[in-house]
Amino acid sequence: MWQKIARRYACALACAAAVVTLPAHAQGDAAFVVGQLLERGGAQADYARDFMAGAKVAFDAANQGGGIKGRRITLVRREVDQTAAVPQAVDMIERDHAEVLFGVSERLLPALAASPDIARRNVPLLAPLSGATSHSDNVWFIRPDDDHEIVAAHNRLRQFGMRRIALVTTAGFDPQVGAHLRETLAAAATGKGDAAETLEVYTLADDPGGLAARIAPTKPTAVIVAGDTLAYSTVGRALAQHGWYGFLVGLSSVNPQVAREILGAGYSGGMLLAQTVPNPASAGTKIAREHMARMKQFLDEPPSAATLSGYIAATYLVQAMNAAGGKVAGAELRRALRTRIDLGGFTLDFTRGNRGSDFVDLNYIQGSGN
């Protein structure tokens, strides 16, 4: 699935700058320009393509219905080097008239969020592909941060009855997350007879084999890896080589197909990945059903968590713009985004901060499919 969408959008994303004008019935009003910046050759390329595939079908559907109060939606995409992110963003705002920066890459976010040139132009950064923590009032995350994701995944495992859990952290993650988990566990255990529950915290350095040799003998039921796809996979592979086949738990940013390839056909442990949107293949929520129908209508590709994330973010933007009259920009657009919208069984609420959702669930990854 990831490869199919990647091939479909490879040409557009390979260009340094690309403009995609989405079809619309409405004529006469200035287009609403949505800009996206991606890190050239970055690790998030596959996820970004799927995210924008989901966003595009939402914009296609909006344009088919007349756009945003008569304004068609145009996408502008650029792949840039990390050092060129801010000047490229400013150029996109000035030359292409981008009114929102949408789905920017994780490694580009810090510079963009801190840029006074972007802040001065009142162009919001909506739905960055990042679980980082940012206190900028110019950033709107549609998902919880990584630390919340780790804590929520841990608590979900405990709900499944798992009482011996290990946490492996990698560079870039809050070193205090382990202490926070221990405090949560201790508070929950008070007066409930859960003192036998354990949480061991490890740090992945340069030797996953040595780390696995320390973890495997303790026989944890689950090992949470706070890291990217490579870290998740190499830790799991090393653990299997030391005879451990429990549940390997990763964050929502892990690519399941790449992870399976690295783990190898012989890996027989369980794979669990966090998910920050509802099950994209389930009919349990209206937004998931709508997303599946739009994907079939405009793209004819199966849904994924990444495509649903993009669809949710784009739908939120369209609905917030419509509610504000459609022609808001700059500071007015930022105020329009500070709202709460039920998108059909999944709510984004930005009235209390820049995190619209704290939803986290765990998804079991089958051996040959998601």
Side-chain angles (χ1 to χ4, degrees):
M1 150 51 193
W2 296 72
Q3 290 91 337
K4 289 181 181 178
I5 293 181
R7 286 195 298 269
R8 189 178 287 261
Y9 287 93
C11 292
L13 288 172
C15 301
V19 178
V20 181
T21 302
L22 304 174
H25 297 304
Q27 301 293 332
D29 287 314
F32 178 71
V33 181
V34 177
Q36 186 194 34
L37 285 175
L38 298 172
E39 182 188 8
R40 182 175 288 118
Q44 288 184 304
D46 286 343
Y47 184 88
R49 280 188 287 263
D50 285 10
F51 180 90
M52 287 308 296
K56 184 179 180 299
V57 300
F59 292 144
D60 283 341
N63 279 338
Q64 188 179 68
I68 299 175
K69 297 293 185 180
R71 301 176 68 189
R72 76 182 187 278
I73 304 166
T74 299
L75 297 181
V76 179
R77 302 170 181 162
R78 298 189 188 186
E79 282 194 346
V80 300
D81 295 325
Q82 190 174 2
T83 56
V86 171
Q88 286 287 338
V90 172
D91 186 69
M92 183 182 285
I93 294 166
E94 295 294 329
R95 181 185 301 182
D96 300 313
H97 307 293
E99 296 181 48
V100 60
L101 296 178
F102 183 89
V104 300
S105 295
E106 181 167 44
R107 281 164 55 101
L108 303 184
L109 177 63
L112 296 173
S115 168
D117 292 328
I118 295 174
R120 185 169 60 248
R121 290 167 172 82
N122 274 311
V123 175
L125 283 76
L126 176 63
L129 309 181
S130 174
T133 299
S134 174
H135 300 293
S136 171
D137 63 359
N138 198 36
V139 182
W140 280 255
F141 294 94
I142 68 164
R143 47 151 296 165
D145 63 29
D146 289 328
D147 289 353
H148 179 91
E149 196 173 319
I150 295 164
V151 172
H154 168 267
N155 292 341
R156 192 80 172 112
L157 292 172
R158 292 183 64 239
Q159 290 173 0
F160 292 156
M162 300 185 191
R163 294 295 181 258
R164 184 174 291 274
I165 301 169
L167 170 66
V168 176
T169 62
T170 59
F173 284 86
D174 184 356
Q176 297 303 313
V177 69
H180 177 46
L181 273 174
R182 282 202 180 100
E183 290 172 4
T184 301
L185 187 60
T190 302
K192 295 184 179 181
D194 291 339
E197 297 183 7
T198 62
L199 173 71
E200 297 297 334
V201 181
Y202 303 85
T203 301
L204 176 63
D206 298 328
D207 180 17
L211 178 65
R214 294 166 54 205
I215 297 175
T218 69
K219 298 181 179 179
T221 310
V223 175
I224 303 171
V225 181
D228 60 14
T229 301
L230 182 60
Y232 173 83
S233 307
T234 53
V235 168
R237 190 180 180 96
L239 285 167
Q241 290 170 349
H242 284 80
W244 180 87
Y245 293 98
F247 286 95
L248 186 66
V249 185
L251 302 185
S252 59
S253 56
V254 171
N255 183 323
Q257 273 136 337
V258 174
R260 283 194 214 97
E261 291 174 6
I262 298 174
L263 285 167
Y267 180 80
S268 59
M271 293 176 64
L272 289 170
L273 295 182
Q275 198 166 276
T276 56
V277 293
N279 188 336
S282 169
T285 59
K286 179 182 176 183
I287 190 69
R289 294 193 298 271
E290 181 183 291
H291 168 244
M292 284 191 286
R294 296 303 190 193
M295 289 292 287
K296 184 174 181 61
Q297 177 184 0
F298 292 104
L299 194 58
D300 195 24
E301 296 283 358
S304 71
T307 61
L308 180 54
S309 294
Y311 187 86
I312 284 171
T315 301
Y316 184 86
L317 176 60
V318 170
Q319 292 194 18
M321 286 285 293
N322 277 325
K327 294 181 173 60
V328 294
E332 290 182 344
L333 173 55
R334 291 176 59 176
R335 283 193 291 271
L337 291 175
R338 294 193 188 100
T339 188
R340 182 183 187 275
I341 299 177
D342 182 347
L343 300 169
F346 187 84
T347 298
L348 288 179
D349 184 357
F350 290 102
T351 61
R352 296 170 297 178
N354 68 350
R355 292 278 170 188
S357 169
D358 61 3
F359 178 92
V360 179
D361 201 356
L362 288 180
N363 184 30
Y364 182 73
I365 306 300
Q366 303 291 340
S368 59
N370 193 339

